[in-house]
Amino acid sequence: MSSNRWRRSEHVAYRQSTAGAEADVGWSAARSSPWEPTVPSRPRAAVDPRFPAELRHLRLVRGLSLRALAGLVYQGKSLIHELETGRAQPAVDLAGRLDTALEAGGALARLVQPGPETSAEDEARLAYVARCPRRVDSTAIDALAALLVGYRRLEDSIGAVAVLPSVASQLALVTDMVGEARDPLRPRLVDVAAQWAQFAGWLHIADAEPAAARTWLAQALEWATETGNSDLIGTVLSFRGYLAEELGAWGPMIGLTRVSLRDPFVFVGQRAYDQFQLARGLARVGDRTGAADALAAGHDLALATTAHSDPVPPWHYYRSPAFFALEGGVVHSVLAHDHAGHGEQAARLLTTGLEGLPAESQSADWAGVYLCHLAAAYARIGDAQAAEETLARVRAIADSTRSPRLAARVPAVARRMRLSADT
């Protein structure tokens, strides 16, 4: 899909979602304050893209008409039709009622997960700004920043695929707001918008959509440059390097990572990660000396991160000792391709890192990528059984998160390491 068509589809999704939000909060122009809510706070829903087709399939299997199903869940026929066509999204409680009515045993309900908690006041505020982008104020910007934090945490537990549609809807709102914003609020708004765009770029990398990832990372770079946010500029350049790595473009991967490392004042946790990323790239092109130097620099900077006292940029919340253990383990796993002695170190670091992750993140789709490296490390040290069991864990995560990237990696790792992918 071209970037223009993709943006138009995102804009349509946003208009549909904000129309529902306005109805939910019951905003009225007659109120003395446009922000006054009429309902208690509620979580937004993260809806799996498969929900519409699954709902229609289950309804037809049960032999129910739209009207009959609507009656069972106390809704209108038109809403069921809109849910099946993807023109409306269900709340968590409605998904549960539909699951019960269709005797789906939880299969349908699992496709709709509670989203980040937002207050009724913030819901009303954002719904109003969606209709009147020029009326943005500092409190609305704060609400967008808080919502982004919630979606980042949600993605850690349920995966990129389920979160992406909701994030796309918010991005359309953010883009409209930036287009209308003027001083003195514009710098703050553009900074938050850049963080949303960077997150969207990451989600599309995780969802194996490189063109969309490149589009949003380019937008993030533009907005971060406008505000002079060097930490975010470095992160976006690093993510562009990671995207190049995913595509097997080692030259751009190494070059972009080195550009990210040029600024010595970027958050130390970002520079630590970039050294590990650079080490992977250099190892891939056969520069083992350069890879060893970058690996050592990464370890040193990772240790410095733990002593870092300055405020941590919000998008770096996951730069923990466990995360850096994982990154070091990946480098050793790549180096083990030529020297099996790195395999044991890779297995140790990757196991330590995975065990050190928060419980809700250990089954995230991005954790599955590290498990793929662990499986390769096990294979290189001759433990085929552990490697195949690890790949089975990856497949389970791929199934639960609907991750196309992970689903493709399992057979690729199995072929490369001569393992069974059918465990």
Side-chain angles (χ1 to χ4, degrees), residues 317-332:
Y317 67 94
Y318 58 89
R319 309 285 194 186
S320 66
F323 171 78
F324 289 123
L326 290 169
E327 286 300 313
V330 172
V331 177
H332 282 287

Side-chain angles (χ1 to χ4, degrees), residues 14-15 17-27 34-35 44 121-132 173:
Y14 146 63
R15 291 301 183 193
S17 67
T18 54
E22 291 166 16
D24 286 342
V25 299
W27 183 88
W35 309 131
R44 293 165 177 255
E121 182 177 4
D122 283 347
E123 288 278 357
R125 188 182 304 276
L126 293 176
Y128 174 68
V129 172
R131 299 195 305 176
C132 308
L173 166 60

Side-chain angles (χ1 to χ4, degrees), residues 320-327 329-330 346-375 378 390 393-394 397:
S320 66
F323 171 78
F324 289 123
L326 290 169
E327 286 300 313
V330 172
R348 183 183 66 79
L349 285 170
L350 288 165
T351 300
T352 298
L354 287 162
E355 291 176 348
L357 292 176
E360 64 272 14
S361 298
Q362 292 185 6
S363 296
D365 49 2
W366 56 264
V369 175
Y370 292 110
L371 282 166
C372 285
H373 287 287
L374 179 58
Y378 279 138
T390 303
R393 288 177 61 189
V394 179
I397 294 173

Side-chain angles (χ1 to χ4, degrees), residues 46 52 58 79 129 138 154 160 162 184 200 210-211 220 225 251 259-260 270 295 319 396:
L58 289 170
L79 175 60
V129 172
S138 60
L154 184 63
T225 301
V259 171
S260 180
Q270 178 62 52
L295 176 60
R319 309 285 194 186

Side-chain angles (χ1 to χ4, degrees), residues 100-343:
T100 300
L102 294 168
E103 301 177 358
L108 188 64
R110 281 193 292 272
L111 299 179
V112 182
Q113 297 291 327
E117 288 283 351
T118 52
S119 69
E121 182 177 4
D122 283 347
E123 288 278 357
R125 188 182 304 276
L126 293 176
Y128 174 68
V129 172
R131 299 195 305 176
C132 308
R134 292 187 181 182
R135 299 296 298 274
V136 64
D137 61 10
S138 60
T139 309
I141 298 172
D142 290 341
L144 281 171
L147 190 60
L148 177 56
V149 170
Y151 275 120
R152 285 194 183 111
R153 300 289 186 176
L154 184 63
E155 187 253 340
D156 282 342
S157 59
I158 68 174
V161 172
V163 169
L164 192 49
S166 298
V167 171
S169 297
Q170 294 302 321
L171 268 167
L173 166 60
V174 169
T175 301
D176 273 6
M177 291 167 66
V178 169
E180 299 287 349
R182 303 291 185 272
D183 288 336
L185 290 176
R186 181 173 177 82
R188 165 69 173 146
L189 174 60
V190 173
D191 187 64
V192 172
Q195 295 176 43
W196 274 94
Q198 176 264 328
F199 183 51
W202 157 250
L203 292 178
H204 283 292
I205 292 174
D207 198 28
E209 295 181 336
R214 190 175 290 110
T215 295
W216 280 111
L217 290 175
Q219 183 64 81
L221 185 60
E222 176 186 323
W223 284 337
T225 301
E226 178 180 339
T227 62
N229 189 331
S230 58
D231 277 316
L232 191 55
I233 290 171
T235 299
V236 173
L237 289 170
S238 176
F239 273 46
R240 286 293 301 267
Y242 181 72
L243 175 59
E245 179 182 11
E246 288 287 286
L247 298 174
W250 306 116
M253 180 265 203
I254 293 169
L256 287 163
T257 306
R258 281 180 166 150
V259 171
S260 180
L261 281 164
R262 284 179 187 169
D263 187 343
F265 299 105
V266 166
F267 172 59
V268 63
Q270 178 62 52
R271 290 186 287 124
Y273 169 80
D274 285 337
Q275 290 288 358
F276 288 123
Q277 182 164 282
L278 178 60
R280 294 197 305 271
L282 294 174
R284 293 289 190 187
V285 299
D287 184 354
R288 301 185 64 82
T289 300
D293 290 343
L295 176 60
H299 282 307
D300 289 343
L301 288 169
L303 289 174
T305 303
T306 62
H308 186 73
S309 59
D310 293 337
V312 176
W315 57 93
H316 287 311
Y317 67 94
Y318 58 89
R319 309 285 194 186
S320 66
F323 171 78
F324 289 123
L326 290 169
E327 286 300 313
V330 172
V331 177
H332 282 287
S333 179
V334 175
L335 289 170
H337 178 72
D338 296 321
H339 292 76
H342 287 278

